[in-house]
Each structure stands twice: as structure tokens, then as C-alpha cells.
Amino acid sequence: MLQHQNLPHVDLILLSRDLSPPREDVWEGIRVQRGVCLSVHRIVGEVFPGDPHRIASIARARNQARAIGEHPWVMFLDDDVVLDPDCVARLVEGLVRRPEFAAFAADCTKTMIGGWELPDSLAHVGMASVLFRRSSLDQITFRWADDKCECRC
């Protein structure tokens, strides 16, 4: 990606199920991001025989990936999510405007009302495409539970 000192630098962690090449539409969505400099990293959420659920492998991969990179912004992106060209820059902008928030997520399921408005609180944060402040991410341990959405854990 282009390196420009005046743009926010983001470590984008592409969470994959395996080491097969990323889908072309997903990779193109990463390549066309405007207004940010991305350092793309990839981690595989390996499923272990004792894992009770796929989300266990995802949580483990997120915990492993927390230490990857060095930039102040860290974005986790699932390998089946296609980003709009301004997505990452808008998430960074949202977190800059709301310093009390640890993370913002893109609405890749189109369930939010009001588009890019910045609500005071949300009942759900989609974890398939979420941007964290690195300073907040350092304080989080990802986990899962049978009775809770991943974002509530």
C-alpha cells in the first residue's frame, strides 16, 4: 500500500480460515482503501480438535494477532468481508471524534439505521470488520460463550 506520512497508519489483520489465497473481491476491497496507509497482516484461525465452536478458533486468532504490527490503529477483517473504499478511514475518523470509544465496526450486515452516524452506544458491534485503538486492544482478551455474541464477551 502507499506510504504517506500525513495519513493514519492502520495494521489490518486479515483473519482467515486457512492459507488459501484471499477472495479477489476481499483483496480488492483492501487495496482500494483511501485516506489511510494499511499494513496488511494475515493470521489463520486454526480449528483445534477440542474446540467446542468455530468462534473459539476466531477468538484465539484475535488474541494472537493483538501483538502484530505497531500502528495506533488495528483493524480485524474476516476473510469474507468486502470493504467499501472509504471504510477504514471513516472508522478511524469516528474513533478520533469519539475518544471514549475503544472500537468501531463497519456495518457489513447492513443492520444499523442511520448509516455512518456515530451513536452514543450500541447493543451490538459486528466483529467481522472492526477497528480498535491499539491502546484499548492491549487491554482486551477475546473469548466466546454459548449464550453471548462474540462482541459481548
Side-chain angles (χ1 to χ4, degrees), residues 103-123:
F104 267 127
D107 183 21
C108 57
T109 59
K110 310 292 185 215
T111 57
M112 287 181 62
I113 298 170
W116 284 96
E117 295 173 11
L118 300 177
D120 290 328
S121 64
L122 293 174

Side-chain angles (χ1 to χ4, degrees), residues 23-91:
R23 284 183 6 202
E24 186 55 37
D25 58 342
V26 172
W27 190 237
E28 183 63 16
I30 293 169
R31 280 196 297 254
V32 300
Q33 289 304 296
R34 298 183 290 232
V36 294
C37 289
L38 297 179
S39 294
V40 180
H41 313 273
R42 191 167 184 206
I43 191 162
V44 173
E46 185 179 356
V47 177
F48 293 164
D51 285 348
H53 194 281
R54 170 89 179 116
I55 297 175
S57 66
I58 294 169
R60 186 171 45 253
R62 287 186 198 284
N63 287 322
Q64 292 170 346
R66 289 181 311 166
I68 294 174
E70 60 187 15
H71 300 304
W73 309 106
V74 180
M75 178 139 184
F76 288 105
L77 181 68
D78 287 2
D79 65 358
D80 59 352
V81 175
V82 179
L83 298 173
D84 288 336
D86 296 311
C87 181
V88 179
R90 293 185 101 171
L91 292 172

